[in-house]
């Protein structure tokens, strides 16, 4: 890491860690949704909305700190991109839960549980990685594994689409379910964006 003669605003590290921990909360709610009966999904969606609002608050706090800090731990653009991508993850997860409730989906197609398992693992890895931004150590395995998980998510998504268009479902049901699995795929993409931003930061700081 480069030696610095100027002090840096270090509260960003704690805020990124808090944002990532909140994403873990969101991923657990997604897992809970899988085993829930339709009658209890609205309550899960309400808790997910609360988590998403907490994520928004965390993102706004980072942006406020960014605008008020003269010296930052790394490039301002990278701080902005990292905060935005973390926020995107929560937005997509909340949207998926909300769609399940709004569309009154009785049964999610086989394969969605695999999508959510990938997201849950990516959430754990991201939460573990954020504190390491302080030292820029032990991050390589993180972004490699998240990129691998995103590739796995792509394969799961393609199989789900093939299943949805197999003729088993009515056209209107296909439209509903496709929107849900597409949003979960976007969440996987957002995890990859976070990992790529962390890699960019680490390369600049090396």
């Amino acid at each position: 890491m480069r030696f610095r003669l100027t002090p840096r605003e270090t509260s960003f590290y704690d805020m990124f860690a808090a944002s990532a921990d909140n994403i873990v909360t969101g991923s657990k709610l997604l897992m809970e949704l899988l085993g829930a009966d339709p009658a209890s999904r609205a309550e899960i969606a309400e808790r997910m909305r609360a988590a998403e609002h907490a994520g928004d608050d965390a993102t706004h706090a980072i942006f406020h700190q960014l605008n008020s800090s003269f010296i930052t731990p790394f490039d301002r653009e990278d701080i902005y991109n990292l905060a935005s991508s973390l926020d995107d993850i929560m937005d997509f997860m909340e949207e998926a839960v909300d769609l399940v409730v709004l569309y009154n989906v009785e049964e999610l197609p086989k394969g969605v549980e695999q999508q959510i398992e990938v997201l849950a693992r990516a959430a754990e890895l991201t939460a573990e990685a954020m504190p390491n931004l302080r030292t820029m150590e032990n991050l390589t395995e993180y972004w490699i594994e998240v990129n691998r998980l995103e590739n796995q998510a792509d394969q799961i998504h393609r199989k789900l689409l093939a299943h949805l268009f197999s003729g088993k479902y009515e056209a209107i049901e296909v439209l509903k379910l496709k929107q849900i699995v597409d949003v979960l795929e976007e969440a996987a993409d957002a995890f990859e964006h976070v990992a790529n931003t962390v890699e960019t930061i680490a390369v600049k700081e090396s």
Side-chain angles (χ1 to χ4, degrees):
M1 182 184 294
R2 293 198 304 251
F3 179 72
R4 296 176 184 268
L5 296 175
T6 54
R8 296 183 296 172
E9 174 54 67
T10 60
S11 61
F12 287 103
Y13 301 122
D14 293 332
M15 289 189 286
F16 282 130
S19 184
D21 287 342
N22 190 57
I23 289 170
V24 172
T25 298
S27 71
K28 289 179 179 177
L29 289 170
L30 273 177
M31 293 292 291
E32 189 175 340
L33 183 77
L34 282 175
D37 59 85
S40 62
R41 288 173 178 168
E43 188 271 335
I44 296 172
E46 189 62 33
R47 283 188 281 142
M48 180 64 96
R49 273 191 289 274
E52 193 272 333
H53 290 157
D56 285 342
D57 290 342
T59 303
H60 294 153
I62 293 170
F63 290 162
H64 175 76
Q65 191 67 38
L66 183 61
N67 291 331
S68 61
S69 296
F70 179 68
I71 299 171
T72 58
F74 37 87
D75 285 354
R76 290 176 180 274
E77 182 181 0
D78 293 329
I79 291 174
Y80 180 85
N81 289 337
L82 182 54
S84 296
S85 294
L86 288 167
D87 188 61
D88 287 343
I89 294 169
M90 276 304 302
D91 287 345
F92 289 132
M93 291 197 297
E94 190 273 333
E95 182 180 353
V97 173
D98 202 34
L99 288 173
V100 170
V101 174
L102 290 174
Y103 289 161
N104 294 313
V105 175
E106 291 188 9
E107 184 178 354
L108 291 166
K110 185 178 180 180
V112 169
E113 72 276 7
Q114 293 176 293
Q115 276 191 305
I116 293 176
E117 286 170 2
V118 167
L119 295 179
R121 180 55 182 153
E124 291 173 359
L125 290 169
T126 302
E128 292 169 3
M130 288 301 107
N132 293 337
L133 288 172
R134 289 181 180 274
T135 61
M136 296 295 165
E137 296 177 352
N138 302 317
L139 287 170
T140 303
E141 290 184 4
Y142 152 69
W143 66 65
I144 289 174
E145 179 61 12
V146 169
N147 276 273
R148 188 194 68 78
L149 286 171
E150 197 279 330
N151 289 334
Q152 183 180 345
D154 284 344
Q155 294 174 352
I156 295 168
H157 180 243
R158 288 193 291 268
K159 289 180 181 178
L160 268 165
L161 292 181
H163 177 63
L164 291 178
F165 289 108
S166 65
K168 178 181 178 180
Y169 297 92
E170 296 291 335
I172 188 64
E173 197 68 15
V174 170
L175 292 175
K176 293 177 181 180
L177 295 174
K178 181 179 183 300
Q179 191 171 357
I180 293 166
V181 301
D182 284 351
V183 169
L184 291 172
E185 172 64 14
E186 288 184 280
D189 290 341
F191 273 114
E192 185 180 40
H193 294 160
V194 169
N196 290 343
T197 302
V198 169
E199 181 179 10
T200 297
I201 292 167
V203 168
K204 288 181 180 179
E205 295 296 304
S206 64

